[in-house]
């Protein structure tokens, strides 16, 4: 197959569109993205004078290969969990979201067992007290503060994780 053979490329277009449409849903990508990736692969092969002998079979294999690559990529990728970088810091939406997050966090801190609510409240203090100050305020030794903090944060993490289900592959909620 050579670039001078537009009839072959035109004949392959419907096959590529159909194969991409069939594989895209399982791969979690748009059919057009899958189709574009395969066209690019085909053009690279033509450019290298490594044209496939049986273009229709090559095209089917290439679509399936790109779909597998897209699935593997989707399983490895994690959505960015940080704040939206483009959003201004003073927007009403951001303020409302931050207030809601603080409210959820404070409520979860209040539900933690034992000394955890006092410890976590002291750690969330805007004055940012030192370990020595927190230990003095709670009446415990500074050496036991670290392990206690770890247990309390683990408990808080489990509580918050149970409230918000983690997204699974392709954004599905478990």
């Amino acid at each position: 197959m050579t670039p001078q053979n537009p009839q072959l490329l035109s004949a392959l277009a419907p096959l590529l569109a159909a194969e991409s449409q069939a594989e895209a849903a399982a791969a979690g990508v748009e059919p057009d993205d899958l189709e574009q990736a395969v066209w690019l692969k085909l053009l690279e092969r033509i450019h290298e004078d490594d044209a496939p002998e049986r273009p229709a079979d090559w095209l089917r294999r290439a679509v399936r290969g790109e779909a597998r690559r897209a699935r593997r990529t989707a399983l490895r990728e994690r959505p960015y969990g940080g704040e939206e970088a483009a959003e201004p810091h003073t927007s009403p939406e951001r303020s409302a979201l931050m207030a809601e997050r603080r409210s959820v966090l404070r409520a979860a801190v209040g539900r933690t067992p034992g000394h955890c609510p006092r410890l976590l409240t002291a750690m969330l203090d805007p004055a940012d007290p030192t370990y020595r100050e927190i230990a003095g305020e709670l009446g415990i030794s500074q050496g036991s503060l670290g392990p206690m903090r770890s247990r309390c944060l683990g408990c808080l993490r489990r509580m918050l994780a149970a409230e918000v289900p983690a997204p699974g592959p392709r954004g599905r909620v478990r």
Side-chain angles (χ1 to χ4, degrees):
M1 175 170 50
T2 63
Q4 292 82 15
N5 194 343
Q7 293 84 11
L8 182 59
L9 294 178
S10 298
L12 288 176
L15 175 63
L16 178 56
E19 290 288 330
S20 297
Q21 186 71 35
E23 294 289 331
V29 295
E30 294 292 321
D32 293 337
D33 293 341
L34 195 55
E35 191 173 339
Q36 184 177 8
V38 174
W39 275 129
L40 183 62
K41 249 184 159 169
L42 180 61
L43 291 175
E44 287 171 349
R45 287 196 69 168
I46 290 172
H47 180 70
E48 295 171 357
D49 294 328
D50 185 25
E53 292 291 321
R54 296 173 29 191
D57 290 341
W58 178 89
L59 189 109
R60 287 184 186 100
R61 285 192 309 275
V63 169
R64 286 180 183 86
E66 283 298 313
R68 280 192 304 274
R69 184 196 57 74
R71 276 192 297 273
R72 282 192 309 269
T73 301
L75 289 174
R76 284 191 306 256
E77 288 180 345
R78 299 287 179 249
Y80 177 66
E83 297 300 315
E84 292 77 29
E87 191 174 329
H89 294 294
T90 59
S91 72
E93 294 87 0
R94 180 178 168 87
S95 298
L97 286 174
M98 293 306 290
E100 183 181 351
R101 286 180 183 171
R102 279 192 296 275
S103 172
V104 167
L105 181 61
R106 296 279 181 193
V109 164
R111 293 190 314 266
T112 55
H115 294 289
C116 290
R118 289 182 56 212
L119 172 65
L120 293 172
T121 300
M123 293 185 74
L124 290 171
D125 188 344
D128 197 22
T130 64
Y131 265 33
R132 176 176 284 170
E133 294 168 342
I134 293 173
E137 180 183 326
L138 298 178
I140 59 175
S141 72
Q142 189 174 344
S144 64
L145 194 58
M148 186 176 174
R149 173 187 155 269
S150 292
R151 284 192 302 275
C152 292
L153 287 175
C155 181
L156 183 64
R157 188 177 302 116
R158 286 187 299 276
M159 288 172 67
L160 291 173
E163 291 176 8
V164 180
R170 292 190 238 19
R172 294 185 184 144
V173 175
R174 296 180 207 177

